[in-house]
Amino acid sequence: MTDASRSPLIVALDYPSAGPALALARRLSPELCRLKVGKELFTAAGPDLVKALVDLGYSVFLDLKFHDIPHTVAKACQAAARLGVWMLNVHALGGQAMLETARQAVSESDVPPLLVAVTVLTSLTQKDLIRLGIIGTPADAVLRWAHLARECGLDGVVCSAEEASMLRRECGPGFCLVTPGIRPADAAQDDQQRVATPAQALAVGADYLVIGRPITGATDPEQALRKILSDLKQGI
Ligand code: C5P
């Protein structure tokens, strides 16, 4: 795993092209944060951009949520590991065989990244789960799929801060919890429904916090990032 940072903050580079993503990466630093590349940026700018961010010294979370037959996902995970990313993810709904095959493939990489599973997307409601034939509340499904991911040897899951304390309790201290939906107390909520401040998310057991627009949309992104880190130090 290429882990150049000790920061718990992962800045989501949600941009339509490489230019603004690289510009922001050059204004920030690997000591202050890690970076997340998601579907939009990866589809537009591809592996070269990921490699450029790794070459700048960043720990990169490749957030492509792989979900396919086991062989295809395993090969995709290996290709991602070859880019030198620090973390990558698959979708827990791919099932046991897909998760185990992904685990095996990542472990065989020269430098294995952390492998985490997406559980219930935070955009899905109870009504959506019923239409999909998934029983129980969203929290029940998150817990079931987190247990499955853990049993398949994954390093952790992506979850909302609301589920973090339950998962920390149920899945133990070594299980990595990555939480999006993070908003500093004075930031706009945007389209996120269930938000927590950085300090609240860490307090309930999150290991890493994904933050996008409060930093990427700030007039001075570096200052916004430093303010979040300093608030965290003070427990705000
Ligand atoms: O700008 P904002 O802080 O809302 O960005 C959050 C990031 O985390 C986005 O890249 C979004 O796709 C991602 N994410 C999320 N909720 C999830 C999984 C990922 O917001 N459940």
Side-chain angles (χ1 to χ4, degrees), residues 5-10 32 34 202 207-210 229 232:
S5 181
R6 276 187 291 168
S7 175
L9 300 185
I10 304 173
L32 300 179
R34 300 151 195 276
L202 288 184
D207 295 293
Y208 299 106
L209 317 178
V210 176
L229 287 167
L232 271 179

Side-chain angles (χ1 to χ4, degrees), residues 134-214:
I134 295 166
I135 50 169
T137 63
D140 293 335
V142 168
L143 184 58
R144 268 198 317 273
W145 297 350
H147 274 309
L148 175 67
R150 189 162 163 273
E151 283 157 24
C152 293
L154 270 70
D155 297 300
V157 290
V158 180
C159 63
S160 81
E162 280 181 19
E163 292 132 15
S165 60
M166 167 186 74
L167 294 180
R168 176 60 64 226
R169 196 173 56 245
E170 294 283 332
C171 298
F175 199 60
C176 180
L177 301 180
V178 181
T179 57
I182 301 298
R183 288 292 178 272
D186 54 357
Q189 197 168 322
D190 303 307
D191 55 353
Q192 294 284 7
Q193 298 304 318
R194 296 179 290 154
V195 298
T197 68
Q200 284 166 344
L202 288 184
V204 292
D207 295 293
Y208 299 106
L209 317 178
V210 176
I211 309 186
R213 287 160 289 182

Side-chain angles (χ1 to χ4, degrees), residues 39-220:
K39 286 190 172 87
E40 179 190 12
L41 182 58
F42 189 80
T43 303
D48 287 347
L49 183 264
V50 174
K51 280 190 257 177
L53 298 173
V54 172
D55 288 346
L56 285 172
Y58 281 99
S59 298
V60 175
F61 172 19
L62 189 61
D63 177 22
L64 298 182
K65 303 181 179 69
F66 295 135
H67 184 185
D68 209 314
I69 59 172
H71 178 76
T72 303
V73 167
K75 292 293 174 190
C77 287
Q78 281 174 341
R82 284 197 293 274
L83 297 177
V85 300
W86 155 73
M87 176 184 281
L88 65 100
N89 60 3
V90 295
H91 205 299
L93 255 185
Q96 183 174 351
M98 191 205 82
L99 294 171
E100 286 174 350
T101 313
R103 170 71 282 166
Q104 176 79 21
V106 168
S107 298
E108 286 168 4
S109 309
D110 290 342
V111 189
L114 288 173
L115 178 63
V116 299
V118 177
T119 56
V120 180
L121 295 173
T122 45
S123 53
L124 294 179
T125 63
Q126 173 88 66
K127 220 169 139 191
D128 293 312
L129 294 192
I130 291 168
R131 289 210 73 185
L132 288 166
I134 295 166
I135 50 169
T137 63
D140 293 335
V142 168
L143 184 58
R144 268 198 317 273
W145 297 350
H147 274 309
L148 175 67
R150 189 162 163 273
E151 283 157 24
C152 293
L154 270 70
D155 297 300
V157 290
V158 180
C159 63
S160 81
E162 280 181 19
E163 292 132 15
S165 60
M166 167 186 74
L167 294 180
R168 176 60 64 226
R169 196 173 56 245
E170 294 283 332
C171 298
F175 199 60
C176 180
L177 301 180
V178 181
T179 57
I182 301 298
R183 288 292 178 272
D186 54 357
Q189 197 168 322
D190 303 307
D191 55 353
Q192 294 284 7
Q193 298 304 318
R194 296 179 290 154
V195 298
T197 68
Q200 284 166 344
L202 288 184
V204 292
D207 295 293
Y208 299 106
L209 317 178
V210 176
I211 309 186
R213 287 160 289 182
I215 292 170
T216 56
T219 318
D220 184 340

